[in-house]
PDB file of all heavy atoms in Angstrom:
ATOM      1  N   GLY R 556      -1.096  10.419  22.331  1.00  0.00           N
ATOM      2  CA  GLY R 556      -1.199  10.168  20.770  1.00  0.00           C
ATOM      3  C   GLY R 556      -1.695  11.367  20.091  1.00  0.00           C
ATOM      4  O   GLY R 556      -1.134  11.735  19.006  1.00  0.00           O
ATOM      5  N   ALA R 557      -2.576  12.048  20.627  1.00  0.00           N
ATOM      6  CA  ALA R 557      -3.187  13.371  19.913  1.00  0.00           C
ATOM      7  C   ALA R 557      -2.133  14.336  19.782  1.00  0.00           C
ATOM      8  O   ALA R 557      -2.089  15.042  18.688  1.00  0.00           O
ATOM      9  CB  ALA R 557      -4.354  13.848  20.688  1.00  0.00           C
ATOM     10  N   GLU R 558      -1.463  14.634  20.875  1.00  0.00           N
ATOM     11  CA  GLU R 558      -0.271  15.600  20.717  1.00  0.00           C
ATOM     12  C   GLU R 558       0.787  15.236  19.603  1.00  0.00           C
ATOM     13  O   GLU R 558       1.174  16.085  18.863  1.00  0.00           O
ATOM     14  CB  GLU R 558       0.423  15.686  22.055  1.00  0.00           C
ATOM     15  CG  GLU R 558       1.571  16.751  22.089  1.00  0.00           C
ATOM     16  CD  GLU R 558       2.369  16.702  23.363  1.00  0.00           C
ATOM     17  OE1 GLU R 558       1.942  16.066  24.359  1.00  0.00           O
ATOM     18  OE2 GLU R 558       3.609  17.485  23.415  1.00  0.00           O
ATOM     19  N   LEU R 559       1.225  13.963  19.581  1.00  0.00           N
ATOM     20  CA  LEU R 559       2.272  13.575  18.600  1.00  0.00           C
ATOM     21  C   LEU R 559       1.647  13.626  17.299  1.00  0.00           C
ATOM     22  O   LEU R 559       2.269  14.169  16.460  1.00  0.00           O
ATOM     23  CB  LEU R 559       2.644  12.111  18.909  1.00  0.00           C
ATOM     24  CG  LEU R 559       3.548  11.450  17.866  1.00  0.00           C
ATOM     25  CD1 LEU R 559       4.804  12.310  17.830  1.00  0.00           C
ATOM     26  CD2 LEU R 559       3.964  10.013  18.326  1.00  0.00           C
ATOM     27  N   ALA R 560       0.425  13.186  16.969  1.00  0.00           N
ATOM     28  CA  ALA R 560      -0.197  13.329  15.736  1.00  0.00           C
ATOM     29  C   ALA R 560      -0.430  14.836  15.221  1.00  0.00           C
ATOM     30  O   ALA R 560      -0.175  15.151  14.158  1.00  0.00           O
ATOM     31  CB  ALA R 560      -1.633  12.685  15.809  1.00  0.00           C
ATOM     32  N   GLY R 561      -0.733  15.582  16.239  1.00  0.00           N
ATOM     33  CA  GLY R 561      -0.797  17.008  15.931  1.00  0.00           C
ATOM     34  C   GLY R 561       0.548  17.716  15.582  1.00  0.00           C
ATOM     35  O   GLY R 561       0.563  18.466  14.554  1.00  0.00           O
ATOM     36  N   ARG R 562       1.564  17.354  16.232  1.00  0.00           N
ATOM     37  CA  ARG R 562       2.850  17.911  15.883  1.00  0.00           C
ATOM     38  C   ARG R 562       3.328  17.324  14.450  1.00  0.00           C
ATOM     39  O   ARG R 562       3.942  18.097  13.731  1.00  0.00           O
ATOM     40  CB  ARG R 562       3.949  17.468  17.016  1.00  0.00           C
ATOM     41  CG  ARG R 562       3.729  18.162  18.310  1.00  0.00           C
ATOM     42  CD  ARG R 562       4.770  17.751  19.237  1.00  0.00           C
ATOM     43  NE  ARG R 562       4.560  18.347  20.625  1.00  0.00           N
ATOM     44  CZ  ARG R 562       4.834  19.575  20.786  1.00  0.00           C
ATOM     45  NH1 ARG R 562       5.384  20.370  19.937  1.00  0.00           N
ATOM     46  NH2 ARG R 562       4.574  20.127  22.135  1.00  0.00           N
ATOM     47  N   VAL R 563       3.012  16.154  14.191  1.00  0.00           N
ATOM     48  CA  VAL R 563       3.406  15.497  12.785  1.00  0.00           C
ATOM     49  C   VAL R 563       2.482  16.335  11.754  1.00  0.00           C
ATOM     50  O   VAL R 563       3.167  16.621  10.646  1.00  0.00           O
ATOM     51  CB  VAL R 563       3.046  13.978  12.863  1.00  0.00           C
ATOM     52  CG1 VAL R 563       3.179  13.502  11.359  1.00  0.00           C
ATOM     53  CG2 VAL R 563       4.011  13.281  13.812  1.00  0.00           C
ATOM     54  N   LEU R 564       1.346  16.466  11.968  1.00  0.00           N
ATOM     55  CA  LEU R 564       0.532  17.163  11.004  1.00  0.00           C
ATOM     56  C   LEU R 564       1.012  18.631  10.752  1.00  0.00           C
ATOM     57  O   LEU R 564       1.160  19.079   9.554  1.00  0.00           O
ATOM     58  CB  LEU R 564      -1.009  17.184  11.323  1.00  0.00           C
ATOM     59  CG  LEU R 564      -1.841  15.967  10.997  1.00  0.00           C
ATOM     60  CD1 LEU R 564      -3.274  16.052  11.463  1.00  0.00           C
ATOM     61  CD2 LEU R 564      -1.873  15.707   9.548  1.00  0.00           C
ATOM     62  N   ALA R 565       1.235  19.351  11.821  1.00  0.00           N
ATOM     63  CA  ALA R 565       1.894  20.664  11.752  1.00  0.00           C
ATOM     64  C   ALA R 565       3.185  20.630  11.019  1.00  0.00           C
ATOM     65  O   ALA R 565       3.382  21.425   9.991  1.00  0.00           O
ATOM     66  CB  ALA R 565       2.179  21.209  13.081  1.00  0.00           C
ATOM     67  N   ALA R 566       3.982  19.574  11.164  1.00  0.00           N
ATOM     68  CA  ALA R 566       5.242  19.520  10.383  1.00  0.00           C
ATOM     69  C   ALA R 566       4.921  19.176   8.913  1.00  0.00           C
ATOM     70  O   ALA R 566       5.678  19.752   7.908  1.00  0.00           O
ATOM     71  CB  ALA R 566       6.135  18.464  11.033  1.00  0.00           C
ATOM     72  N   ALA R 567       3.953  18.462   8.646  1.00  0.00           N
ATOM     73  CA  ALA R 567       3.562  18.068   7.292  1.00  0.00           C
ATOM     74  C   ALA R 567       3.203  19.358   6.570  1.00  0.00           C
ATOM     75  O   ALA R 567       3.697  19.583   5.330  1.00  0.00           O
ATOM     76  CB  ALA R 567       2.526  17.047   7.265  1.00  0.00           C
ATOM     77  N   PHE R 568       2.414  20.118   7.013  1.00  0.00           N
ATOM     78  CA  PHE R 568       1.919  21.351   6.390  1.00  0.00           C
ATOM     79  C   PHE R 568       3.026  22.442   6.305  1.00  0.00           C
ATOM     80  O   PHE R 568       3.316  23.185   5.337  1.00  0.00           O
ATOM     81  CB  PHE R 568       0.796  21.942   7.096  1.00  0.00           C
ATOM     82  CG  PHE R 568      -0.402  21.204   6.903  1.00  0.00           C
ATOM     83  CD1 PHE R 568      -1.101  20.645   7.978  1.00  0.00           C
ATOM     84  CD2 PHE R 568      -1.086  21.114   5.679  1.00  0.00           C
ATOM     85  CE1 PHE R 568      -2.214  19.824   7.927  1.00  0.00           C
ATOM     86  CE2 PHE R 568      -2.275  20.423   5.485  1.00  0.00           C
ATOM     87  CZ  PHE R 568      -2.796  19.797   6.634  1.00  0.00           C
ATOM     88  N   ALA R 569       4.025  22.479   7.227  1.00  0.00           N
ATOM     89  CA  ALA R 569       5.104  23.370   7.307  1.00  0.00           C
ATOM     90  C   ALA R 569       6.131  23.041   6.321  1.00  0.00           C
ATOM     91  O   ALA R 569       6.946  23.955   5.852  1.00  0.00           O
ATOM     92  CB  ALA R 569       5.720  23.472   8.669  1.00  0.00           C
ATOM     93  N   THR R 570       6.336  21.775   5.923  1.00  0.00           N
ATOM     94  CA  THR R 570       7.413  21.371   4.975  1.00  0.00           C
ATOM     95  C   THR R 570       6.878  21.082   3.606  1.00  0.00           C
ATOM     96  O   THR R 570       7.662  20.414   2.800  1.00  0.00           O
ATOM     97  CB  THR R 570       8.049  20.021   5.639  1.00  0.00           C
ATOM     98  OG1 THR R 570       7.068  18.894   5.798  1.00  0.00           O
ATOM     99  CG2 THR R 570       8.746  20.275   6.933  1.00  0.00           C
ATOM    100  N   GLU R 571       5.734  21.516   3.325  1.00  0.00           N
ATOM    101  CA  GLU R 571       5.157  21.222   1.879  1.00  0.00           C
ATOM    102  C   GLU R 571       5.980  22.010   0.920  1.00  0.00           C
ATOM    103  O   GLU R 571       6.455  23.130   1.227  1.00  0.00           O
ATOM    104  CB  GLU R 571       3.668  21.651   1.880  1.00  0.00           C
ATOM    105  CG  GLU R 571       2.755  20.664   2.523  1.00  0.00           C
ATOM    106  CD  GLU R 571       1.246  21.054   2.450  1.00  0.00           C
ATOM    107  OE1 GLU R 571       1.052  22.203   2.397  1.00  0.00           O
ATOM    108  OE2 GLU R 571       0.495  20.089   2.365  1.00  0.00           O
TER     109      GLU R 571
END
Side-chain angles (χ1 to χ4, degrees):
E558 178 186 352
L559 177 56
R562 293 185 183 279
V563 170
L564 277 176
F568 288 112
T570 57
E571 285 183 330

